[in-house]
Amino acid sequence: MNFRASFCDPFKPDIIEMGNIEKNKIMETFEKNPWTELLNKMESADQNDIHYSPSLEIENKDNKNGLSVSAVDGKEWYIFFKRPKMVKKFFGLSEKMDDNYLTDITGQTIDDVRACLEALIKNDLNFLEQKIK
């Protein structure tokens, strides 16, 4: 499997494209991000200087499934799950492929984030579908 990563630094308006990332480096990249430092800096910053919550996106380039994890306050995390999915349109009378179907879940812990990242790495899409509806 081939993965790519990007990072949203709260103080930079543009998303930082990190490019290809090896499967075995995903968890290390997540763990080494300065989440607490960025959140602390945001507390005293002018709101006009903040563009995002600190967020890391990992995408499986082969099947286009991806996660974005966003730190909210040091205890709470948001997790976004993007994937191609057939969706029903016109009261269920037709279906269309949505290449960027997105669902999210709030109120998550760092352990929830780790479990979801591990599921993405292992391509356990059933776990992600059930967790992030």
Side-chain angles (χ1 to χ4, degrees):
M1 288 182 277
N2 296 299
F3 294 91
R4 61 161 277 285
S6 60
F7 184 71
C8 294
D9 183 315
F11 302 99
K12 296 182 180 173
D14 296 323
I15 296 171
I16 300 165
E17 191 59 47
M18 300 165 67
N20 293 334
I21 185 170
E22 294 178 28
K23 180 164 66 169
N24 62 348
K25 296 288 186 189
I26 292 171
M27 293 306 292
E28 178 183 337
T29 300
F30 170 74
E31 298 293 348
K32 287 189 175 183
N33 260 323
W35 303 106
T36 303
E37 178 184 317
L38 289 168
L39 290 169
N40 289 341
K41 188 175 173 185
M42 287 172 65
E43 285 181 12
S44 60
D46 183 323
Q47 291 299 310
N48 293 327
D49 294 335
I50 299 173
H51 302 278
Y52 313 97
S53 289
S55 305
L56 177 68
E57 179 183 18
I58 305 292
E59 181 185 32
N60 180 328
K61 292 175 19 176
D62 297 332
N63 63 14
K64 305 295 185 215
N65 286 266
L67 288 178
S68 292
V69 297
S70 185
V72 178
D73 63 7
K75 293 185 175 117
E76 182 180 4
W77 293 78
Y78 292 174
I79 305 172
F80 301 86
F81 179 33
K82 178 186 76 88
R83 70 267 191 205
K85 184 171 181 167
M86 290 297 286
V87 293
K88 294 188 184 285
K89 301 279 184 184
F90 303 110
F91 308 105
L93 297 175
S94 69
E95 287 186 324
K96 180 182 177 191
M97 178 60 74
D98 183 343
D99 290 330
N100 293 302
Y101 186 78
L102 184 71
T103 52
D104 63 86
I105 187 168
T106 60
Q108 300 301 289
T109 67
I110 195 165
D111 289 333
D112 293 317
V113 172
R114 288 178 181 125
C116 288
L117 285 171
E118 288 288 347
L120 183 71
I121 292 166
K122 294 176 185 170
N123 205 35
D124 186 352
L125 303 179
N126 288 332
F127 175 85
L128 295 173
E129 281 285 347
Q130 292 303 310
K131 174 88 172 157
I132 311 166
K133 294 181 181 186

